[in-house]
Amino acid sequence: MPERSASERPAPGRPSPERPSPERPAPAPQGGLVVPALSRPDKTRLYWEVAIVLGLSLGASAVYSIVSIIARLTDVTPLAEQSATLNGSQSPREWLDFTYQFLGIVFGVFAVALVLFLLWRPGLSAFRRIGFDLTRPGRDVLGGLGLLLVIGIPGLGLYLAGRALGFTVAVVPSPIDTFWWTIPILVLSALRAALLEEIIVVGYLFTRLRELGWSRWTIILSSAVLRGSYHLYQGIGPFFGNVAMGVVFGWCYERWGRTMPLVVTHWLLDILSFVGYPLALAWFPGLLAPAS
């Protein structure tokens, strides 16, 4: 074996520079970050992991929503005269209704626990990895409130426009005065939705797709389309509205590296939808109520 020249030999006391090898590929830059390149078996495993996670959570919801919108569009009743119920009663008996809804919330967040477990690494907290922690509470809350204004007002306008144009179904909320526990359950349901969507569709999915070598905007747009897809049961308008929301949220996550502001925004949006919408429905029935 020929001896290396002096310029190629490492200086005394310094380790030899690490060279890429088939067993340890060289890191590849991705979206401003250095993400280790994966071998083909590792990529295959990650793709299967992503498919399983989505199949157990919001990917399944997207498939059901696609089937739902096909059923709605092929129904004899026009889309504008159809409705979708949010957080409907699970039983005519109060204690069973509460039990079913509470258990749905508890078991619904197990998918969030799963992806946090999958993202955990020795010495690297999954919470810190996706920016879901309390290290910046003030900025996270302010960022969430700012996003609420950016997303909430146009979202309401898009819903009203969709109702007027006939491509959005009427969203029927559950009454907020049925039982003493109704509003707390609705607030918890809003939190479950915020955690599921932002931790899985943004925090987890962005992390895994970066590791798989996807480009920044491919990740943002793919995540946004997924977000829109599982809202298709509400009609065509909410699909595009949620795609736009997904693009904004994805861009913010790329900028901030934190899911906490997104969770804050989503939680507040859903609280307004679940609790505030019934009040708005009572005040403006002509705009929001289903067509008779």
Side-chain angles (χ1 to χ4, degrees):
M1 179 177 179
E3 185 179 357
R4 288 187 289 180
S5 66
S7 61
E8 293 176 312
R9 289 196 296 269
R14 293 185 182 177
S16 177
E18 190 173 347
R19 297 175 180 271
S21 68
E23 293 77 17
R24 181 177 293 180
Q30 177 65 40
L33 302 173
V34 176
V35 180
L38 298 176
S39 64
R40 185 178 294 274
D42 286 339
K43 282 190 174 184
T44 301
R45 184 191 65 80
L46 275 192
Y47 274 119
W48 274 109
E49 179 191 292
V50 170
I52 291 169
V53 166
L54 294 181
L56 291 172
S57 58
L58 293 167
S61 300
V63 173
Y64 280 114
S65 283
I66 291 170
V67 174
S68 175
I69 192 63
I70 293 172
R72 289 183 182 280
L73 292 173
T74 55
D75 196 279
V76 294
T77 304
L79 195 63
E81 297 178 15
Q82 299 179 36
S83 62
T85 302
L86 296 178
N87 305 301
S89 175
Q90 303 292 311
S91 172
R93 290 186 284 176
E94 180 182 352
W95 73 271
L96 271 180
D97 191 9
F98 172 82
T99 301
Y100 284 139
Q101 293 198 49
F102 181 75
L103 291 177
I105 293 168
V106 171
F107 289 114
V109 297
F110 268 71
V112 176
L114 172 63
V115 300
L116 290 172
F117 175 79
L118 292 171
L119 290 176
W120 209 285
R121 293 289 180 269
L124 181 60
S125 164
F127 295 96
R128 182 66 61 87
R129 194 174 181 188
I130 62 172
F132 184 63
D133 53 32
L134 298 176
T135 57
R136 293 175 20 179
R139 281 192 285 179
D140 287 340
V141 170
L142 288 176
L145 291 173
L147 274 178
L148 179 65
L149 296 176
V150 171
I151 296 294
I153 296 174
L156 176 60
L158 183 61
Y159 173 76
L160 295 177
R163 292 290 298 136
L165 295 173
F167 54 77
T168 298
V169 305
V171 176
V172 180
S174 60
I176 60 175
D177 57 353
T178 306
F179 304 112
W180 66 266
W181 46 262
T182 299
I183 290 179
I185 281 290
L186 291 176
V187 171
L188 289 176
S189 295
L191 179 59
R192 173 192 58 186
L195 292 173
L196 270 173
E197 296 189 39
E198 307 316 326
I199 300 300
I200 295 177
V201 177
V202 179
Y204 168 78
L205 197 58
F206 274 52
T207 301
R208 285 300 189 236
L209 295 183
R210 278 197 207 109
E211 292 171 345
L212 288 166
W214 290 34
S215 68
R216 172 182 297 178
W217 278 103
T218 302
I219 296 173
I220 291 175
L221 293 176
S222 299
S223 171
V225 170
L226 173 62
R227 186 188 295 265
S229 297
Y230 55 75
H231 287 93
L232 269 170
Y233 71 95
Q234 298 176 1
I236 305 300
F239 168 78
F240 287 107
N242 279 279
V243 168
M245 175 178 171
V247 170
V248 173
F249 274 27
W251 182 83
C252 289
Y253 181 67
E254 285 287 337
R255 294 271 298 181
W256 301 338
R258 297 188 60 76
T259 54
M260 185 61 82
L262 312 183
V263 171
V264 170
T265 300
H266 198 138
W267 191 16
L268 293 176
L269 274 174
D270 279 2
I271 289 174
L272 291 174
S273 299
F274 297 167
V275 178
Y277 185 79
L279 298 175
L281 184 61
W283 295 336
F284 308 105
L287 283 176
L288 303 173
S292 57

